[in-house]
Amino acid sequence: MNPYLYEERETIIHRLDPRVKLFLLIAAFFIMLIPSLLPSALGSFALIAVHASLARAWDAIRRLRNFIIVITIFTIILWIMIPRGEDILWLFIRRDSFMHGVLAAVKIAGILIAGMIFLVTTRNEEITAGLVRLGAPYVACFAFSLALRLVPTFAQTGLTVAEAQKSRGLELRKGPLWQRMKNYIPLMAPIFLVSIRNANLMAMALEARGFGARGKRTFYLQVCMKQRDWLALAVGSLTLLLLFGIHLV
């Protein structure tokens, strides 16, 4: 299993400037947060789905579908516990509480999918170069890019440790859910030790390469705005303004 989300594909979203992709990500967040009614939220979610289709990101989204489903169910259950309105839908579940839970779940799912689209279509080097061109300090950009890179690295470490322990006879998928969760606890120590060792090696590698020794640096990856980038920027801006106008009306 490949823990990295980025996928090399020839799509219109992949070819966009990283600054435009970052703008589309922020615009997607606002598009999902603006609606206050479920039909409007579903419409916004449909726009995110079109974005995912253009990026051909559904394969990566399916890999994290269990996480999205758990977050969705947990959000709905949490809102059900908060009394809203008087109409009873079923037993103690109130209609308004349930509808607000579904609305919040749709918004969170849309935001998660928008974030995954950004990670599927943008390499870490592009993120760093785009943020630097926006005027952010290189050290902060590198730290942000490194954080994105470490998440799949930790996941890969966990998979490696789990496979090593299973080869030694550890049953990770045996028993009920709580038993299976307990089976993973012994893996925490080796995962943290390997992660700390890798972090130490990375720190020494950066020091050996003189990281931060010079204030101004050059970049192999050069980003520039093209016609398709301006078009995507215009479409995203118009969509965001249109949704703001509909919400205000």
Side-chain angles (χ1 to χ4, degrees):
M1 177 181 175
N2 181 17
Y4 295 89
L5 284 178
Y6 177 75
E7 296 179 352
E8 187 71 38
R9 295 181 183 272
E10 285 297 325
T11 69
I12 186 173
I13 305 299
H14 280 77
R15 292 194 295 267
L16 291 176
D17 187 280
R19 292 167 290 181
V20 177
K21 297 178 189 178
L22 184 61
F23 169 78
L24 293 178
L25 174 64
I26 298 173
F29 288 171
F30 279 104
I31 287 173
M32 290 308 307
L33 292 174
I34 289 173
S36 57
L37 298 175
L38 183 58
S40 301
L42 292 175
S44 298
F45 188 86
L47 293 176
I48 302 298
V50 172
H51 190 191
S53 299
L54 292 176
R56 295 166 59 188
W58 289 111
D59 290 339
I61 294 172
R62 290 190 193 97
R63 286 160 53 189
L64 299 178
R65 62 183 180 274
N66 292 335
F67 175 74
I68 296 177
I69 291 173
V70 170
I71 292 296
T72 300
I73 295 175
F74 177 78
T75 302
I76 295 175
I77 293 175
L78 185 63
W79 274 96
I80 286 176
M81 295 180 180
I82 303 175
R84 296 178 68 95
E86 299 297 335
D87 295 337
I88 301 298
L89 184 63
W90 182 67
L91 296 179
F92 64 91
I93 301 176
R94 302 190 181 187
R95 183 182 300 275
D96 289 347
S97 298
F98 178 76
M99 295 303 295
H100 276 81
V102 174
L103 174 63
V106 170
K107 289 184 176 183
I108 294 175
I111 290 173
L112 291 175
I113 292 176
M116 283 189 286
I117 295 171
F118 178 75
L119 295 178
V120 165
T121 59
T122 313
R123 292 176 295 178
N124 287 334
E125 296 82 2
E126 293 177 340
I127 296 175
T128 303
L131 291 175
V132 169
R133 289 296 299 271
L134 288 174
Y138 174 74
V139 175
C141 299
F142 180 81
F144 178 72
S145 175
L146 186 62
L148 294 177
R149 185 180 288 113
L150 286 178
V151 173
T153 301
F154 288 153
Q156 183 63 60
T157 301
L159 292 173
T160 303
V161 172
E163 292 296 330
Q165 294 299 326
K166 284 194 292 186
S167 67
R168 292 174 172 82
L170 178 63
E171 294 288 346
L172 295 176
R173 300 185 179 273
K174 186 177 181 180
L177 178 61
W178 292 108
Q179 181 63 39
R180 281 181 286 173
M181 294 176 63
K182 287 178 60 179
N183 292 338
Y184 279 91
I185 294 179
L187 303 181
M188 295 297 103
I191 289 175
F192 277 114
L193 288 176
V194 173
S195 301
I196 292 173
R197 183 187 304 167
N198 292 338
N200 187 39
L201 291 175
M202 182 176 295
M204 290 189 294
L206 290 174
E207 185 177 357
R209 287 167 173 78
F211 179 77
R214 298 178 60 183
K216 188 176 182 180
R217 56 174 293 140
T218 58
F219 294 90
Y220 174 77
L221 179 64
Q222 299 294 328
V223 295
C224 60
M225 297 286 289
K226 299 180 180 179
Q227 184 176 2
R228 59 173 177 264
D229 299 309
W230 292 111
L231 180 60
L233 195 64
V235 171
S237 301
L238 290 175
T239 303
L240 189 59
L241 291 174
L242 179 62
L243 290 178
F244 265 118
I246 294 175
H247 178 69
L248 292 177
V249 172

